[in-house]
Amino acid sequence: QVQLVESGGGLVQAGGSLRLSCAASGRAFNRYVLGWFRQAPGNQRELVAYIISGGGTNYADSVKGRFTISRDNAKNTVYLQMNSLKPEDTAVYYCAADARLFPSWPYEYDYWGQGTQVTVSS
């Protein structure tokens, strides 16, 4: 069983920055694939970014060049640095983990955090 807890959300003006953190339980954190998702009211949940155990990353086109996902395996934490925020980034942001022994594409995000609200004002 893996528990994930997000933090760092809040209210920010357009053009500003936030850093989200997700602290995870689990002794095998270093092999997890970790993703950040977001969901705005009336919208489907969408994948924002993910990072694999080897450090490779992928981003949604809408956030490329603005967001950076990273991980600190010593702290069992994954981060999402969000810069140049836009009002359309407003959503609840969730972290999720594929905690299989050998995660592989397509990733199976079976563990989810509770979410943290990000609101970007214009």
Side-chain angles (χ1 to χ4, degrees):
Q1 190 70 27
V2 177
Q3 289 185 286
L4 304 167
V5 181
E6 303 96 332
S7 62
L11 175 64
V12 65
Q13 291 184 318
S17 298
L18 285 173
R19 189 177 77 157
L20 306 183
S21 299
C22 175
S25 67
R27 289 181 167 85
F29 179 87
N30 60 353
R31 72 167 185 253
Y32 299 167
V33 172
L34 299 154
W36 284 99
F37 294 77
R38 66 187 182 187
Q39 187 167 26
N43 289 5
Q44 293 185 328
R45 181 181 294 159
E46 63 175 338
L47 176 66
V48 176
Y50 69 80
I51 185 166
I52 66 173
S53 60
T57 59
N58 195 49
Y59 299 90
D61 288 342
S62 60
V63 307
K64 285 181 179 177
R66 300 188 297 122
F67 290 12
T68 302
I69 188 171
S70 62
R71 65 194 295 163
D72 186 338
N73 290 339
K75 295 182 178 180
N76 272 32
T77 301
V78 61
Y79 304 95
L80 186 67
Q81 178 67 45
M82 304 185 294
N83 298 326
S84 302
L85 283 161
K86 304 174 180 180
E88 51 263 45
D89 296 318
T90 295
V92 177
Y93 283 71
Y94 300 88
C95 64
D98 180 342
R100 293 177 293 170
L101 183 61
F102 296 107
S104 60
W105 182 264
Y107 299 114
E108 299 177 2
Y109 297 101
D110 292 326
Y111 298 93
W112 293 80
Q114 82 288 350
T116 186
Q117 177 71 46
V118 172
T119 303
V120 184
S121 62
S122 60

